[in-house]
């Protein structure tokens, strides 16, 4: 698993990050038990198709953004970057869920913060 410094040096991976992918859309795209009818062309149709995107696990201490690689075969955690607690709290509050429960998409503020940290 990479840390922030190692990820900064992997320009190939940084170029592949889908900053608009969400955990929900990843399920719809790569898992057959996703919402199916609502995929609207987002379903993975080519062997080897995958996405690289960040998620926030509300239960992690310290708070982190986790870069994951998802395909129809499964998910792999690639890197973890510590993030400001206030940004994670904002995401959880925005979604109206309890702290410590859930997998969340990045907020726009956290996307920008990560892009700045990673030199993008």
């Amino acid at each position: 698993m990479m840390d922030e410094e190692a990820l900064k040096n992997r320009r190939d991976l940084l170029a592949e990050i889908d900053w608009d992918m969400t955990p929900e859309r990843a399920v719809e795209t790569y898992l057959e038990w996703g919402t199916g009818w609502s995929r609207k062309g987002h379903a993975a149709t080519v062997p080897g198709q995958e996405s690289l995107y960040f998620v926030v696990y509300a239960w992690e201490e310290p708070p982190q953004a986790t870069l994951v690689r998802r395909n129809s075969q499964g998910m792999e955690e690639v890197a973890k970057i510590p993030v400001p607690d206030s940004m994670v709290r904002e995401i959880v509050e925005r979604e109206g869920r309890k702290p410590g429960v859930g997998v969340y998409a990045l907020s726009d503020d956290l996307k920008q913060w990560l892009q700045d940290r990673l030199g993008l």
Side-chain angles (χ1 to χ4, degrees):
M1 170 102 46
M2 285 185 267
D3 63 10
E4 181 179 340
E5 290 307 311
L7 184 57
K8 280 182 186 180
N9 293 321
R10 291 292 308 273
R11 292 318 223 180
D12 59 322
L13 288 178
L14 293 175
E16 290 181 39
I17 296 172
D18 182 346
W19 293 97
D20 297 318
M21 181 60 77
T22 66
E24 296 84 7
R25 198 167 120 219
V27 167
E28 291 172 357
T29 303
Y30 296 103
L31 301 177
E32 65 183 46
W33 51 268
T35 55
W37 59 269
S38 71
R39 291 183 189 187
K40 300 180 180 139
H42 292 294
T45 57
V46 179
Q49 185 176 345
E50 64 183 22
S51 291
L52 197 64
Y53 59 101
F54 278 101
V55 298
V56 171
Y57 300 127
W59 59 84
E60 288 192 313
E61 289 293 335
Q64 302 176 75
T66 302
L67 182 64
V68 298
R69 182 185 313 275
R70 161 78 67 191
N71 60 32
S72 61
Q73 303 304 307
M75 190 236 354
E76 168 194 14
E77 294 182 348
V78 177
K80 289 190 177 281
I81 298 175
V83 299
D85 182 59
S86 61
M87 290 185 161
V88 171
R89 279 196 318 270
E90 183 265 323
I91 290 168
V92 172
E93 289 171 10
R94 176 193 69 205
E95 296 296 324
R97 302 209 178 110
K98 295 187 296 186
V101 178
V103 179
Y104 298 93
L106 302 180
S107 65
D108 290 339
D109 289 342
L110 187 50
K111 281 181 198 177
Q112 187 61 57
W113 185 90
L114 284 166
Q115 290 169 347
D116 291 346
R117 297 283 300 197
L118 295 170
L120 302 175

